[in-house]
Amino acid sequence: MRIHLGCRLTYEFPAPTPMIVILNVHYSRVGRLERPDHLQTTPHVPVESYRDSFGNWCNRLVAPAGTFVMGTDTVIGDDGLADEQGFGAMQHRVEDLPAETILFLLPSRYCESDLLSNEAWRLFGHTPEGWARVQAICDFVHNHVTFGYEFSRPTKTAAEAYSEARGVCRDFTHLAVAFCRAMNIPTRYCTGYISDIGETPPHGEMDFAAWMEVYLGGRWWTFDPRNNKPRIGRILIAQGRDAADVPLTHTFGQNTLTGFKVWTDEIVG
């Protein structure tokens, strides 16, 4: 399967403004790109790229005053299969976990697993460990939180999403991440593209999405509390502790986002 994917973001800046931009496909999928997904800007500005502490590809630039457009566009190969599932994947004892997973057991800016620990054990302490427990958490979050773009705000935490019971995909993910960490399951936050391939129309406007990966049975597995089902054509951009680590754009000054378009479409024929 071949998927055409990319994005275009339009901003208005009152003055030259530094930015960090994370919009490129994750290094784990770069080998399937048919052409590089370089960040393109209008007007053209110098772009400096680097890898952050999680291995994500980041771009630094200074946006000029006025209208500024940036984005990516590429084609990627995909196996056309839905997210892999491992129903028998076991939960590791904390003392047996690889050292590199421990970071994803700890509370973070938007995932206050310490604050939600007692509630997590009340809700899920009776569930079987491993895959079944993670699925129980995703089922709960999927049913507890009502989705709506009008419920979005950039400062909402997992605890607030739990108490308010409404939000967008990042809020679903933050809450599920926090619950999993409270249950001693390493869990990392992911952002990227989720296509509508294989889904029954009508389809909504395309957007970036958030999901999570949990460490069970010696490897990382994908879970998606917002959609709560395996999806075809999921393309990772970045992963970290929570959304604070992987903002698509981080602007160091005043700005107004005036245009936003995302595409991820199967190429047929």
Side-chain angles (χ1 to χ4, degrees), residues 133-153:
R133 177 164 288 176
V134 177
Q135 188 58 63
I137 290 171
C138 288
D139 290 344
F140 174 85
V141 172
H142 179 77
N143 293 319
H144 178 75
V145 180
T146 298
F147 181 87
Y149 286 110
E150 67 274 23
F151 306 137
S152 174
R153 68 175 183 273

Side-chain angles (χ1 to χ4, degrees), residues 20-23 52 58 170 189 191 237-238 242-251:
I20 297 175
V21 181
I22 308 177
L23 292 173
D52 66 13
C58 306
R170 67 174 255 162
Y189 178 96
T191 186
I237 289 178
D242 59 33
D245 288 330
V246 292
L248 297 170
T249 61
H250 189 107
T251 55

Side-chain angles (χ1 to χ4, degrees), residues 65-130:
T67 302
F68 182 67
V69 183
M70 62 182 178
T72 64
D73 186 73
T74 191
V75 174
I76 192 169
D78 189 81
D79 59 16
L81 302 176
D83 302 320
E84 188 177 0
Q85 297 183 287
F87 299 109
M90 59 169 282
Q91 182 172 334
H92 299 270
R93 297 186 304 172
V94 173
E95 58 267 35
D96 296 331
L97 286 167
E100 63 270 16
T101 68
I102 299 300
L103 175 66
F104 300 103
L105 280 180
L106 307 179
S108 58
R109 166 69 177 86
Y110 292 113
C111 298
E112 319 101 301
S113 50
D114 49 351
L115 296 181
L116 290 168
S117 179
N118 288 341
E119 193 67 353
W121 282 97
R122 183 186 73 82
L123 291 168
F124 310 111
H126 65 283
T127 60
E129 292 187 347

Side-chain angles (χ1 to χ4, degrees), residues 178-254:
F179 278 149
C180 284
R181 290 179 186 168
M183 304 301 292
N184 299 328
I185 303 169
T187 312
R188 59 194 184 193
Y189 178 96
C190 301
T191 186
Y193 298 90
I194 297 181
S195 78
D196 289 320
I197 298 170
E199 298 299 303
T200 302
H203 302 141
E205 191 76 15
M206 188 57 62
D207 196 355
F208 289 112
W211 62 89
M212 67 185 193
E213 292 176 349
V214 302
Y215 191 83
L216 297 171
R219 56 163 286 187
W220 294 97
W221 299 88
T222 295
F223 282 84
D224 183 348
R226 160 69 179 101
N227 295 293
N228 205 28
K229 60 183 290 190
R231 297 289 289 263
I232 298 170
R234 188 187 302 272
I235 310 296
L236 180 66
I237 289 178
Q239 54 196 196
R241 293 167 299 180
D242 59 33
D245 288 330
V246 292
L248 297 170
T249 61
H250 189 107
T251 55
F252 297 86
Q254 291 184 326

